[in-house]
Amino acid sequence: LIYLYPSPDVTMSFPWQYRQGLLSIILLVLGGLYWRYEINIGRYLNFRSLLALVFLYIGTLWFWPGSFHVLISMQDINIPGVAISLIGTLILIEFCKYLPVLRLLNYIGRNTIGIYFMSGALPTVVGMIINKITHNSMIGLIFVFLISITTAVCATYFLNRFLPWVFDLRQIKTNI
């Protein structure tokens, strides 16, 4: 991929880093392929193969600890790092399939994108306000976390309740 670009200067695309984003599309494509063929992949993954993947993952990180760093940039694509990252992601996905169905986990899973959207400016603003009161204490950090999470969950709830199309565009068709 590096030969597709005329200059190896990483800072040329600053501040948007669009070139690094384009190179990271390989991870999105692999995720899409997994989504498309998840049923076929699931046929080969049982509990034993999941344990084998875990041991492969731990063994690889034990013998090649430098491979854990996933670097995708103009100069380098760390293929072992990408492979280890993909194996770790596959382990996590398959492990989550063994978890029991819990209402809290279902709620968080359905609303993750909304909570994620609220996690940028909200903790920063709350942190600046709480910092004025508590002066960088651990109690202040706990308050920032609790207020940020509570506000994000409440905002996500109201968006889902009154503007459901914000997170699911298919809702526009059903409400018209």
Side-chain angles (χ1 to χ4, degrees), residues 31-154:
L33 287 172
Y34 176 80
W35 179 72
R36 172 71 174 91
Y37 297 108
E38 182 176 9
I39 294 172
N40 295 336
I41 293 170
R43 290 181 189 152
Y44 300 105
L45 289 175
N46 55 21
F47 192 72
R48 284 185 186 171
S49 59
L50 181 61
L51 284 177
L53 279 176
V54 168
F55 285 124
L56 173 70
Y57 185 78
I58 292 171
T60 305
L61 293 179
W62 182 270
F63 290 112
W64 295 286
S67 295
F68 185 69
H69 179 69
V70 179
L71 178 64
I72 297 178
S73 70
M74 294 302 293
Q75 287 90 11
D76 185 25
I77 296 177
N78 184 0
I79 301 294
V82 171
I84 290 170
S85 179
L86 292 174
I87 290 172
T89 304
L90 184 62
I91 290 169
L92 183 64
I93 290 170
E94 292 302 317
F95 175 72
C96 287
K97 290 179 181 178
Y98 287 100
L99 291 175
V101 176
L102 300 173
R103 289 182 60 197
L104 177 66
L105 289 179
N106 283 339
Y107 179 80
I108 291 172
R110 280 193 315 267
N111 297 300
T112 297
I113 194 74
I115 295 169
Y116 175 74
F117 283 152
M118 306 290 170
S119 69
L122 191 62
T124 305
V125 172
V126 172
M128 290 185 334
I129 294 169
I130 296 293
N131 189 27
K132 299 282 186 192
I133 299 168
T134 62
H135 305 292
N136 291 330
S137 70
M138 184 59 77
I139 303 274
L141 180 66
I142 293 170
F143 276 128
V144 168
F145 172 75
L146 292 174
I147 292 169
S148 298
I149 290 294
T150 304
T151 308
V153 169
C154 290

